[in-house]
Every structure is written in C-alpha cells, then in structure tokens.
Amino acid sequence: MRKALLPLAMIMASLALCLLVLEAGLRLAGVPLKEARVLCFDAILGNVFCPGIEALLDNQYESTIPVRINSTGMVDREYPYDKPANTIRIALLGDSVAASLYLAPELKFKAIWEKQLSTQLGRPVEVLNFAVDGTGTWEQLQLFHLRARAFQPDYVVLAFFWGNDVWNNDAARGKGGPDPLKDEYPSPDWKQKVRVLHRNANRWLWNHTLAYQFLRTLVERTEAILSYKRSLERAQAQQAAADRMASDPVQDPAFAWDSDAWELTRTLILKLNAESRSAGARLAVTGIPSLAQMSSGKPLPYGALDDFLARQGIKAIEVLPSM
C-alpha cells in the first residue's frame, strides 16, 4: 500500500505545484479573470442560479456589471418567507428576458413594477424575481412548486417568451427527467448529488482561479477544433431548418397553435394556474416576442393565446401594443 501511495502522492504534489506556479504566473502577468459563471446544477430543475454569490459579468459596452444572487437563487435582494403585513407579493417566472442579468437592478422591469405599483396602489408591492436563464414553462412550473410558492405570493406572473419557450418546453419533455405535469419531484440519488457537487466545484474554480480558466479554455478550444466537422454539419442542418421555417411559418412550433409543442405549453400553463390557485395566488401571463418575430410580419398566435387564457380565467397582460 505504501509503495502504491507514495508515487501517487508525489504525482499529486507535482500537479498541485504546477498549478500554483501557473496561477502565480498568470496573476503576475496581469491576466484578468474572465466573466463569472453563475449557473449551478439542480437535480430536478437543471440549470439554476447559484445561491448567495456576488460576481461581475461582462456587458455589451466593454465593461463589467455586478450581479447579486440571493440565498434562494434569485437575481434579487433577500426576502423573508413570511410576507410583510399589508404587502402585495408577486412571484415573477421567466427566462433570461425576465432575469435581466446584464441590467442594473433599478432598470429591471421588476423594479419598475415594484416602484410604480406601490405608488399607484398606496401600499408596498414586492416582485420576487424567480426567472432563470434558459428555462421554459416546464422548468418555471417546477420553480414555482419548489421555491416560489413558499413565499406566499398573491399573484404569479408568467413572463412567456415567444422567442423560444415553446421549443424549450418540447425539449424538456424529451429529456426524460422528472415530469411536473405528473407531480414528479423525487429526492436526488447519489449520482445526481455527485453531479451537483461536480458542477458547483467547476463553477467555483472558474470564478476564482486563473489557472483553471486557462486550462478549461484550452480544453474547450481543442474540443471545438476536433469536432469542427460535426459542429459545421449541425450548424448547417439547423440553418436549413430555420430557412424552412422562414418560408413556411406552419412548420415553426411558435406559429403553429395546433402543434404538439403548443399543446404541451398550454397544459403547463393550466397546471401552473392550478398550483397558483392552490397556493392562494392568481396567475397572469404576459407574452414577450423577440425583435425578429415582431419584424417578420408572420402571424404569431397572440389572439389564440389570449382567447385560451380568457376561457381559463387567466389574466393576460398585453405588452405587444406598447412594444
């Protein structure tokens, strides 16, 4: 055992020394840390914002912007679970549009809502931002069940993004994970716990060590070179599919109201409405189109969604005329 462990210990010590030397060299050379990574992994939800961190992100103006994620994984300030007296509390669900990582806190629409609604109603209004980048209605239903409802919201606002939420929902169903429509919220097994720890450790190393950023970037670039042909073929196939959709909106699930993807999306909205009501809250939905969809001239089924929501007694918050 000693004969086996001694060489292993020497190898590990040598690797650690090399990493320390690389870290010191990069710091002495004035190499800055790259943009922080703020996504962690959850066994049910998939990607979530890492709780309790403060980091710097690169914005589009060649500068950085600080982002703060609270202890429950919201890009927001801290909130107590118990709702303050005489306060209206709104749980906001959505993706990167609603999370607005690259906006200063006072410029996010949730902050504007809080300020103006509090003034108009003459009582405090809190908008708790549970939005997470890359999610669709599938994950947002899970987020409400696992996190948002514990904060006793009076209202739930689903910020539905026409740009990709329908695709995201269809893709989430295809992954074969826990199904929120069947109330599947299992406890993670040991493999999932190991995966969570691994992802969180990688994120911590990226945010705090130049050596890891350097080596990880080198690996990613090498993988991209080795898989260039496959990547090119995949990109060409995606472009061909996009071209077909551009010429025939019926093939695009965002436009095809009678598609399986839209049927799934409507079912998820109904489930979210039922869970909101069981938690003592009312659901409202606001649809946010992408700029390309607004300028394409293709008829997104805005009216069909509004009619569907009206039949179910769900309030629709119209933003299209303003946009």
Side-chain angles (χ1 to χ4, degrees):
M1 181 66 74
R2 291 195 193 96
K3 290 181 179 179
L5 289 177
L6 184 59
L8 180 61
M10 293 180 65
I11 292 172
M12 297 299 293
S14 299
L15 287 173
L17 180 61
C18 289
L19 290 174
L20 287 173
V21 171
L22 177 60
E23 182 74 21
L26 292 170
R27 289 184 180 273
L28 289 173
V31 176
L33 283 167
K34 296 182 180 180
E35 180 180 57
R37 293 182 176 177
V38 297
L39 287 175
C40 287
F41 178 75
D42 180 90
I44 292 177
L45 298 167
N47 285 333
V48 293
F49 289 128
C50 306
I53 68 170
E54 296 185 16
L56 292 176
L57 301 181
D58 300 332
N59 67 16
Q60 60 185 345
Y61 306 109
E62 297 184 357
S63 61
T64 58
I65 184 169
V67 62
R68 181 176 182 270
I69 301 171
N70 72 14
S71 59
T72 49
M74 291 184 271
V75 187
D76 212 329
R77 63 182 186 274
E78 294 287 346
Y79 295 92
Y81 282 99
D82 293 332
K83 183 173 55 182
N86 196 40
T87 296
I88 296 175
R89 183 170 275 185
I90 301 170
L92 175 63
L93 304 173
D95 60 6
S96 57
V97 178
S100 304
L101 277 177
Y102 295 90
L103 281 178
E106 67 275 9
L107 296 180
K108 300 178 190 291
F109 70 79
K110 69 131 279 179
I112 297 171
W113 281 6
E114 280 184 332
K115 182 178 179 180
Q116 295 193 2
L117 286 172
S118 297
T119 299
Q120 292 180 17
L121 299 177
R123 57 190 293 195
V125 174
E126 295 178 340
V127 181
L128 283 62
N129 193 356
F130 290 94
V132 176
D133 286 15
T135 59
T137 323
W138 181 284
E139 295 88 358
Q140 290 150 20
L141 172 58
Q142 294 172 324
L143 275 161
F144 177 79
H145 183 92
L146 294 172
R147 297 186 179 183
R149 69 175 183 174
F151 285 86
Q152 307 168 26
D154 300 289
Y155 298 92
V156 178
V157 174
L158 174 65
F160 175 79
F161 182 49
W162 288 87
N164 56 26
D165 276 5
V166 176
W167 289 277
N168 288 345
N169 295 334
D170 201 37
R173 175 173 57 182
K175 291 178 182 177
D179 189 342
L181 295 174
K182 299 178 180 178
D183 295 316
E184 293 178 350
Y185 295 98
S187 299
D189 58 26
W190 70 269
K191 292 181 180 179
Q192 292 169 323
K193 291 179 180 178
V194 169
R195 187 180 178 190
V196 169
L197 290 173
H198 178 255
R199 281 280 302 273
N200 292 350
N202 286 347
R203 190 269 310 167
W204 188 93
L205 288 170
W206 175 275
N207 289 350
H208 294 87
T209 62
L210 288 168
Y212 181 83
Q213 286 191 355
F214 176 82
L215 295 173
R216 184 64 190 170
T217 302
L218 187 63
V219 169
E220 290 173 352
R221 288 179 178 174
T222 303
E223 290 175 343
I225 292 172
L226 294 176
S227 62
Y228 172 75
K229 184 178 180 181
R230 293 196 301 273
S231 299
L232 182 60
E233 291 173 349
R234 184 165 57 250
Q236 290 172 339
Q238 291 173 345
Q239 184 60 51
D243 291 341
R244 289 194 301 272
M245 289 181 179
S247 60
D248 183 7
V250 175
Q251 297 187 31
D252 188 332
F255 297 92
W257 180 249
D258 59 350
S259 66
D260 290 341
W262 253 115
E263 175 62 29
L264 171 62
T265 299
R266 292 192 293 271
T267 305
L268 289 165
I269 292 174
L270 291 178
K271 177 67 170 176
L272 178 59
N273 184 47
E275 290 214 12
S276 299
R277 289 187 177 276
S278 68
R282 291 188 60 188
L283 175 66
V285 177
T286 182
I288 304 173
S290 68
L291 182 61
Q293 289 172 322
M294 291 189 64
S295 59
S296 67
K298 298 174 185 175
L300 283 169
Y302 295 114
L305 178 59
D306 286 348
D307 291 343
F308 165 76
L309 295 174
R311 290 195 303 271
Q312 303 301 326
I314 302 172
K315 177 66 177 178
I317 303 173
E318 290 289 350
V319 298
L320 183 62
S322 298
M323 296 180 71

